[in-house]
């Protein structure tokens, strides 16, 4: 069941489960796992939130006390060349920040930071703060996950700083549901075009909202994008940087844009890759994403027709439809030893959607569909579990954090009438994913905390241009969002990639990678109108 909202990137290198088990400073932490998951129903910006001028000054953040935590990291799981691995040091720290910046001396929450330093870094350009999106993605995992892909030039200029945003991973995590409850909800696929399906979807959304509210009460409202953007300035101070260098993917572009809006003069360089569109409303953005995945499936289908064994599927759309219909009648079993779950139609669609984030997964998707047609759902479960961040039977808290932050950022609604009308439209416009995704329209309808709508991110007076990167065929954050974000920010340059999958940097384009690295290091933006080839 796609309860989550917004999208985050799936990287080429996915961190193996259990890569970190303990953080420094005597803090025992839950096991960190790989990242790369999404949902599809973004909350859009609306009326301005509390302005920076009306928030009381926050006390200066002291320098973070980083402690060596290499022993807590399974460096072998990162797949690094031996020479690179030997040069890297890993430091972990926690910092305390206000729960509510309107009460800066009140209740505190803690954030976890990871600093990765290359011994060849003699340029000391500063730190590069990274965020994978979501909301709910672990920046700690992102920093580790990209280590095998980033250039030597980048590592010899910047320390990588990964952080788990408030409510995420190891940073005062929000957790509303048990693993068993998430298993049940991810298996649900209510048809909201029917009275019974409509009622089930609405009842399920209310159950989740009530669970979150009962656990966290009024504190829940403070887990939002604006507060997290303020946390980022505390992180900038904690690592000793006078200016921010930032790399954000997907929802990370929305978070970065809010930081740039609030603290324009504190920004040295920012790369916003796979932009959430700041100009569209919730349902329009959601619909654009569903359309993006329909189009991405068509690209997969064309590829599938030309490659073995995928071509044995015949018509890929028909194959998915038939497998999902069969799973609706009698859920599919998995050949994976110890697997007791059975795959419903929702698991089928989740597995398909998961693979559309990167062309590198298309081969796996074709094989998973062939196996499912023969009654084995193991491949679809692997893809769906990666999407849902389920590892060894346990989930990360990404679903809880994603829902909380998304709903806190969004306007109330939509109404029952709007959901019915939208679902009917999507059933016609998006025959593969439309009805399955329509239950996500209920996610924030029963949400109780006070909302904080992120303001439209304008920043015409940053000291240097911001670099926005857009992929012409991005299914999760369509290209128009990159154009709109660059225009809205004001002092920004757009770099385009004619590529496939979600986001552009570190996805196989040397043109994009060189342009991003050159910008971060020298502050030189690509020429206006630059499009990197496929």
């Amino acid at each position: 069941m796609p309860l989550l909202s917004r999208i985050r990137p799936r990287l080429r290198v996915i961190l193996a489960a259990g890569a970190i088990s303990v953080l420094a400073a005597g803090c025992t932490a839950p096991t960190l796992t790989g990242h790369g998951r999404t949902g599809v129903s973004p909350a859009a910006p609306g009326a301005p939130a509390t302005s920076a001028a009306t928030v009381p000054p926050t006390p200066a953040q002291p320098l973070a006390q980083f402690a060596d935590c290499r022993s807590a990291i399974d460096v072998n799981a990162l797949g690094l060349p031996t020479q690179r691995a030997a040069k890297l040091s890993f430091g972990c720290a926690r910092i305390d920040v206000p729960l509510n910046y309107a009460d800066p001396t009140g209740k505190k929450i803690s954030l976890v930071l990871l600093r990765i330093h290359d011994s060849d870094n003699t340029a000391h350009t500063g730190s590069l703060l990274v965020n994978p999106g979501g909301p709910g993605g672990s920046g700690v995992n992102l920093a580790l996950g990209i280590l095998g892909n980033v250039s030597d030039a980048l590592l010899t200029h910047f320390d990588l700083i990964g952080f788990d945003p408030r409510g995420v991973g190891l940073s005062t995590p929000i957790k509303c549901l048990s693993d068993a409850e998430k298993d049940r909800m991810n298996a649900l696929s209510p048809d909201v075009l029917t009275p019974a399906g409509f009622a089930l979807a609405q009842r399920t959304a209310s159950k989740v909202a009530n669970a979150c509210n009962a656990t966290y009460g009024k504190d829940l409202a403070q887990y939002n994008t604006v507060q997290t953007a303020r946390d980022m300035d505390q992180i900038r101070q904690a690592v000793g940087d006078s200016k921010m260098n930032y790399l954000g993917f997907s929802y990370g572009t929305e978070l970065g844009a809010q930081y740039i809006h609030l603290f324009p003069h504190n920004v040295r360089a920012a790369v916003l890759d796979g932009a959430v569109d700041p100009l569209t409303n919730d349902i329009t953005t959601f619909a654009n994403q569903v359309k993006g995945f329909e189009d991405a499936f068509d690209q997969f289908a064309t590829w599938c027709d030309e490659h073995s064994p995928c071509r044995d599927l015949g018509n890929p759309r028909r194959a998915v439809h038939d497998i999902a219909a069969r799973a609706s009648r009698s859920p599919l079993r998995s050949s994976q030893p110890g697997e007791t779950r059975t795959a419903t139609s929702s698991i089928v669609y989740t597995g398909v959607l998961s693979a559309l984030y990167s062309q590198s997964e298309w081969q796996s998707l074709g094989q998973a569909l062939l196996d499912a047609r023969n009654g084995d759902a193991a491949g679809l479960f692997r893809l769906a579990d990666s999407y849902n961040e389920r590892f060894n039977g346990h989930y990360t808290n990404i679903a809880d954090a994603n829902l909380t932050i998304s709903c806190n950022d969004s306007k109330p609604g939509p109404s029952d009438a709007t959901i019915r009308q939208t679902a009917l439209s999507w059933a016609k416009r998006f025959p593969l994913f439309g009805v399955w995704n329509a239950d996500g329209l209920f996610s924030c309808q029963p949400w109780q905390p006070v909302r904080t709508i992120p303001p439209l991110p304008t920043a015409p007076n940053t000291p240097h241009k911001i670099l926005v990167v857009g992929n012409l065929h991005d299914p999760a954050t369509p290209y128009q969002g990159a154009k709109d974000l660059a225009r809205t920010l004001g002092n920004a340059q757009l770099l385009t990639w004619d590529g496939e999958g979600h986001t552009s940097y570190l996805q196989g384009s040397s043109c994009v990678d060189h342009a991003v690295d050159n910008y971060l290091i020298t502050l030189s933006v690509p020429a206006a109108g630059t499009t990197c080839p496929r």
Side-chain angles (χ1 to χ4, degrees), residues 275 277-279 468 470 478-488 494 496:
D277 197 322
L279 300 181
V468 178
Y479 178 68
Q480 184 63 41
K483 294 169 65 177
D484 288 345
L485 181 59
R487 185 170 63 252
T488 300
L494 175 62
T496 301

Side-chain angles (χ1 to χ4, degrees), residues 367-386:
Q367 187 63 57
L369 291 172
L370 287 167
D371 292 343
R373 192 162 64 182
N374 292 325
D376 182 6
L380 289 174
F381 266 125
R382 182 190 69 79
L383 291 167
D385 285 351
S386 176

Side-chain angles (χ1 to χ4, degrees), residues 247-302:
L247 170 63
F249 298 94
S250 198
Y251 161 79
T253 67
E254 183 176 348
L255 180 57
Q258 286 302 313
Y259 179 85
I260 296 164
H261 177 81
L262 290 171
F263 305 100
H265 299 294
N266 290 353
V267 180
R268 175 186 173 272
V271 177
L272 307 178
D273 182 4
V276 175
D277 197 322
L279 300 181
T280 56
N281 63 34
D282 292 12
I283 291 179
T284 299
T285 304
F286 197 168
N288 288 343
Q289 290 176 337
V290 181
K291 181 182 185 302
F293 283 103
E294 293 277 344
D295 293 345
F297 187 86
D298 288 340
Q299 294 161 10
F300 161 74
T302 299

Side-chain angles (χ1 to χ4, degrees), residues 21-46:
S21 59
V22 179
L23 286 182
C27 298
T28 301
T31 299
L32 287 183
T33 55
H35 80 280
R37 152 142 199 356
T38 74
V40 230
S41 119

Side-chain angles (χ1 to χ4, degrees), residues 163-289:
F163 78 108
D164 284 359
R166 59 170 58 204
V168 174
L170 300 172
S171 294
T172 319
I174 294 290
K175 188 170 179 63
C176 306
L177 301 175
S178 68
D179 290 334
E181 287 171 322
K182 289 176 182 177
D183 273 345
R184 288 193 292 271
M185 289 186 178
N186 286 330
L188 291 177
S189 188
D191 181 352
V192 302
L193 299 178
T194 66
F198 191 96
L200 175 60
Q202 195 166 49
R203 189 165 61 247
T204 303
S206 293
K207 177 180 178 180
V208 179
N210 290 340
C212 291
N213 196 67
T215 303
Y216 297 99
K218 63 182 180 62
D219 287 353
L220 194 64
Q222 304 308 323
Y223 293 86
N224 59 61
T225 295
V226 172
Q227 298 284 40
T228 304
R230 296 186 183 281
D231 290 342
M232 288 168 56
D233 205 57
Q234 296 292 295
I235 295 171
R236 176 191 61 79
Q237 298 173 52
V239 299
D241 284 357
S242 61
K243 300 288 184 182
M244 170 71 75
N245 300 289
Y246 178 76
L247 170 63
F249 298 94
S250 198
Y251 161 79
T253 67
E254 183 176 348
L255 180 57
Q258 286 302 313
Y259 179 85
I260 296 164
H261 177 81
L262 290 171
F263 305 100
H265 299 294
N266 290 353
V267 180
R268 175 186 173 272
V271 177
L272 307 178
D273 182 4
V276 175
D277 197 322
L279 300 181
T280 56
N281 63 34
D282 292 12
I283 291 179
T284 299
T285 304
F286 197 168
N288 288 343
Q289 290 176 337

Side-chain angles (χ1 to χ4, degrees), residues 33-252:
T33 55
H35 80 280
R37 152 142 199 356
T38 74
V40 230
S41 119
T50 304
S51 70
T54 60
V55 173
T58 304
Q61 179 70 229
L63 289 175
Q65 300 301 305
F66 284 93
D68 180 12
C69 58
R70 186 186 185 93
S71 63
I73 299 171
D74 184 357
V75 177
N76 292 330
L78 305 178
L80 303 177
T82 302
Q83 185 177 6
R84 173 169 288 188
K87 296 190 302 175
L88 299 177
S89 61
F90 301 84
C92 296
R94 289 184 184 271
I95 65 171
D96 291 332
V97 298
L99 173 67
N100 182 358
Y101 283 89
D103 182 17
T105 60
K107 186 174 181 178
K108 299 292 193 293
I109 57 174
S110 66
L111 308 178
V112 166
L113 311 181
L114 171 68
R115 180 172 64 192
I116 303 172
H117 175 75
D118 189 313
S119 60
D120 287 342
N121 181 354
T122 57
H124 303 299
T125 306
S127 304
L128 179 63
L129 189 68
V130 299
N131 181 273
S138 166
V140 170
N141 280 350
L142 176 64
L144 291 167
I146 64 177
L147 272 180
N149 293 36
V150 294
S151 67
D152 289 334
L154 196 75
L155 290 176
T156 56
H157 281 81
F158 297 98
D159 289 342
L160 289 184
I161 303 293
F163 78 108
D164 284 359
R166 59 170 58 204
V168 174
L170 300 172
S171 294
T172 319
I174 294 290
K175 188 170 179 63
C176 306
L177 301 175
S178 68
D179 290 334
E181 287 171 322
K182 289 176 182 177
D183 273 345
R184 288 193 292 271
M185 289 186 178
N186 286 330
L188 291 177
S189 188
D191 181 352
V192 302
L193 299 178
T194 66
F198 191 96
L200 175 60
Q202 195 166 49
R203 189 165 61 247
T204 303
S206 293
K207 177 180 178 180
V208 179
N210 290 340
C212 291
N213 196 67
T215 303
Y216 297 99
K218 63 182 180 62
D219 287 353
L220 194 64
Q222 304 308 323
Y223 293 86
N224 59 61
T225 295
V226 172
Q227 298 284 40
T228 304
R230 296 186 183 281
D231 290 342
M232 288 168 56
D233 205 57
Q234 296 292 295
I235 295 171
R236 176 191 61 79
Q237 298 173 52
V239 299
D241 284 357
S242 61
K243 300 288 184 182
M244 170 71 75
N245 300 289
Y246 178 76
L247 170 63
F249 298 94
S250 198
Y251 161 79

